[in-house]
Amino acid sequence: MKGLLVLGVLTSSCIAVNAQKNNNVPVGMDLKYEVQRAGYKNSDQALSLLRISSTDKKTLPPTGWSVFFNGGGLKIADEDAAKATVIHVNGDLFKLVPKGGSPALIQEYHLVSDVPKSVSDLPGGFYLVWDASPEKGVLFNKVSVSSAIDRIKAEQELAAKAYTQNQLVTNIPAAKLPAVFPTPLSYKKATGAFTVNSALRIKAEPMFMAEAQLLAQALSAGLGKSITVNGPGSGPAIVFTKDTVSAAEGYSMRIGPQEIRIGASTAAGAFYGAQSLQSMLPAAFFAKTQKSVSLAAAEIYDKPRFGFRAFMLEVGRNFQPKTEVLKVLDLMALYKLNVLHFHLNDDEGWRLEIPGLPELTEVGSKRGHTTNDANNLLPSYGSGPVVGVNSGSGYYSRADYIEILKYAKQRHIKVIPEIETPGHARAAIKSMDARYQKYLKSGDNAKAQEYLLRDLQDKSVYRSVQGWSDNVINVALPSAYHFLEKVTDEIISMYKDAGADLETVHFGGDEVPPGVWTQSEAAKQVMAKDTAVKNADDLWPYYFSNVNKMLKKKNLYLSGWEEIGLHNVVVNGKKAMVVNPAFKEENFHTDVWNNINGNEDLAYRLANAGYKVTLTNVTNLYFDLAASRSFDEPGQYWGGYVDVDKPFYFVPFDYYKTMKEDTRGEPIDKSVFNNKVRLTEAGKSNIIGLQAPLWSETIHTPERLEYMLLPKMLSLAERAWAKDPEWATEQDASKSEALYNTAWSEFVNVIGKQELPKLDYYAGGFNYRIPAPGVSLVNGSIAANILIPGLTIRYTTDGTEVTKSSPVYKQPIPAKGTVKLAAFNQKGRGGATITLKN
């Protein structure tokens, strides 16, 4: 199969004209990058061809320009070593610099790289810069990026594997499926049904008025008639009443022919009762106006397993508009997730307006071509040379953020702001460099250094995992803490104005590379004054101790990634990060993602030591990881592959038990869990909940965000809300497997027949992922099945593309010619195509 990726198809002739001073060079140019073959010189590398073509009959000179691009891990092939070289600029930005040759309408360069495993491995964001105009980036008219490596056999093997896995799924009639999702603690059928129609009334006690109003809005939209709360009249009603439900987010609901009674002891409980009622509404209710719908009589008692049910949205690498954030909040509310961890900055972008520090958004929120980051950050993740035209640029104003907070509060969602420090902080560092230069020019040296984040005398050399050489805040500087306190105070002010609670600020702590601060004069001064700081490694606990003190003075606690609870020690002659007992009584809340490469038990070690832990395991809960090993499947794969099954079979208190795959997507060697720490009873009390992050390196649009988010989020919701399933606690392996297969079948049937049809319309509709069919050759015929019942498989036998009008697969197809199959939802939108050539 040939993977094709088209990036940067923007035209800017004005930029091209202004970028050059020589009228004899081309204005119009196309660029084509193609991976041609694997096995370059009998190695494990691939050979690619980069071709630049003039489109206006003017030759392109052999030197005097460079082509910039992001990613790809490219080097010039040996045969073209005299023609060009590839230089690493910073981060994931590189440039091809030609060294010689002849003028021509087409200039070509061979490059080598690792064989791409995924479309996400391909480079992107190509643009040209003339040496005569180094400040200006020139867009190509057309850019195509593709791989010619034949992957049909590999794709067929994946389809056959999926076919075998899909055979475990039983098709369950919709009438026999659970009525409420996520699964409630107790659901008992009763006699009769309640009719929802325009005669409906809603009654609520004062403490539940806000929740009743939200439900009234939803029902009014579906019925096409305004439903009021506590209005006059009599007849069938939905009643919100205070009850003796003990759980803070618990509720009871009794559905009878004349009344639905939602009881709760808190507003949150009443809200979740209303969400369960919405869960029972058919998809048609959200698709178009209904005269009436019936809800089967039942008695429900429900409460969540975990009080912390989180989704992390990262907008630093690629920005998402406010409208999409509000839409995600609607989705979270429907499925009873109650924490939005909002990752607001990273190396590639600062996304929140901070009054008093305008440079953070004037510089740090923008990406485009630059030679010095003075006015904007350099391009990353294919964002290209032009500022403000795509997801590389953007920020939330103070008013935007307050609106988001209010919207979330109405839906009982806490928003935890993350200001990533001290690493992953390049956007902040460069913004404060711009501030420094501004005030230095005006002669105000004190103001210039007030919020400076780097030691101007630091000679330390390092390189982060993402390729940056200048992305770590110098934690020895007093000005760094002035900056953090200023940002914190402004965030506190926003929450106050929104009327939203703020209990914590997440200050990151992730992926600080070795080598930082080792040659810093400021760091040496701290070591000279503080006997506890003997070397650069000791600056780590020094930093978080200072941040913790600052937050405690404001009645806030510190949240961060697992590293805030770790420190460097020498073990068997080598440095290792181990649990730091110094902060275990400080109420540090740690998000633990690392359960690979020897750290399988890290979450349990931190919890057992007394740290509060949110399980954020990369192997099961990282939604930015690709759903399959298919080349064209978007997403990363460094931590494995995460489809809808991985969060579903995650067992929070014993996740070793159900680990099935390693980070390569291969069957896991269970011996890696030998001698690993087990979670103690005390440790269990420190597991506060689950969290699924969605990092945005490969997410450039709201549609892609929704594709990566759904239906995975439904698995997260089920595991975070529903009680510990029987299959997770059953000790007999064969019984556990049988119980799991039954639960899994029920779950995917609920997804396909109830939830996805609803999500076609809910909150304007979501672009959820539709899986490719499982396909296998059986007795000379092509058999197909689908992971999610309710989706429809269609096919063609003449090599043409499958559409919503193609024949429906009902029985095995003769294995002749080129057969293509794809699954479609009820609206006629299709997923990935499987191609078989016979």
Side-chain angles (χ1 to χ4, degrees), residues 180-360:
V180 178
F181 180 83
T183 305
L185 189 63
S186 172
Y187 179 94
K188 296 180 180 179
K189 291 183 179 180
T191 303
F194 182 90
T195 301
V196 177
N197 57 30
S198 59
L200 170 70
R201 295 177 307 116
I202 298 178
K203 298 191 293 185
E205 295 187 19
M207 67 182 294
F208 300 141
M209 276 297 293
E211 290 67 38
Q213 291 284 8
L214 278 178
L215 179 61
Q217 291 173 20
L219 296 179
S220 296
L223 294 170
K225 186 177 186 294
S226 178
I227 304 296
T228 59
V229 179
N230 289 345
S234 60
I238 299 172
V239 180
F240 288 83
T241 182
K242 187 172 183 179
D243 203 345
T244 57
V245 175
S246 59
E249 296 178 295
Y251 67 92
S252 64
M253 181 159 52
R254 292 182 177 86
I255 303 174
Q258 294 299 312
E259 182 181 82
I260 297 178
R261 182 169 289 267
I262 299 173
S265 59
T266 66
F271 177 76
Y272 292 125
Q275 295 306 91
S276 287
L277 192 153
Q278 282 204 71
S279 175
M280 300 172 74
L281 296 170
F285 190 83
F286 301 93
K288 60 182 180 180
T289 302
Q290 302 289 309
K291 292 184 178 180
S292 67
V293 296
S294 293
L295 301 180
E299 291 187 6
I300 303 169
Y301 174 74
D302 201 8
K303 64 177 181 178
R305 181 182 184 191
F306 291 106
F308 193 99
R309 306 176 300 281
F311 168 62
M312 191 214 78
L313 178 61
E314 182 261 295
V315 293
R317 275 68 174 266
N318 281 295
F319 183 70
Q320 290 291 331
K322 178 184 66 177
T323 51
E324 186 65 14
V325 177
L326 300 182
K327 191 177 179 184
V328 168
L329 288 170
D330 279 329
L331 183 70
M332 292 176 63
L334 180 64
Y335 295 115
K336 305 185 176 79
L337 300 179
N338 66 347
V339 178
L340 174 65
H341 172 178
F342 212 173
H343 188 104
L344 292 164
N345 73 297
D346 220 289
D347 295 320
E348 301 83 4
W350 181 282
R351 306 305 186 187
L352 179 62
E353 178 188 16
I354 300 294
L357 298 177
E359 298 83 6
L360 286 171

Side-chain angles (χ1 to χ4, degrees), residues 426-485:
R426 189 175 189 272
I429 292 168
K430 295 302 178 183
S431 297
M432 293 303 96
D433 279 356
R435 186 182 190 277
Y436 172 80
Q437 293 296 334
K438 179 175 70 175
Y439 285 107
L440 200 64
K441 289 177 181 177
S442 68
D444 193 337
N445 189 58
K447 209 166 185 64
Q449 297 195 44
E450 184 179 11
Y451 298 116
L452 196 63
L453 298 178
R454 65 182 179 95
D455 177 2
L456 301 178
Q457 307 304 316
D458 192 356
K459 305 298 182 183
S460 303
V461 177
Y462 61 88
R463 186 71 67 177
S464 75
V465 173
Q466 288 78 18
W468 299 107
S469 61
D470 52 359
N471 74 331
V472 182
I473 292 171
N474 193 304
V475 302
L477 293 173
S479 55
Y481 299 97
H482 296 160
F483 173 82
L484 297 179
E485 185 154 23

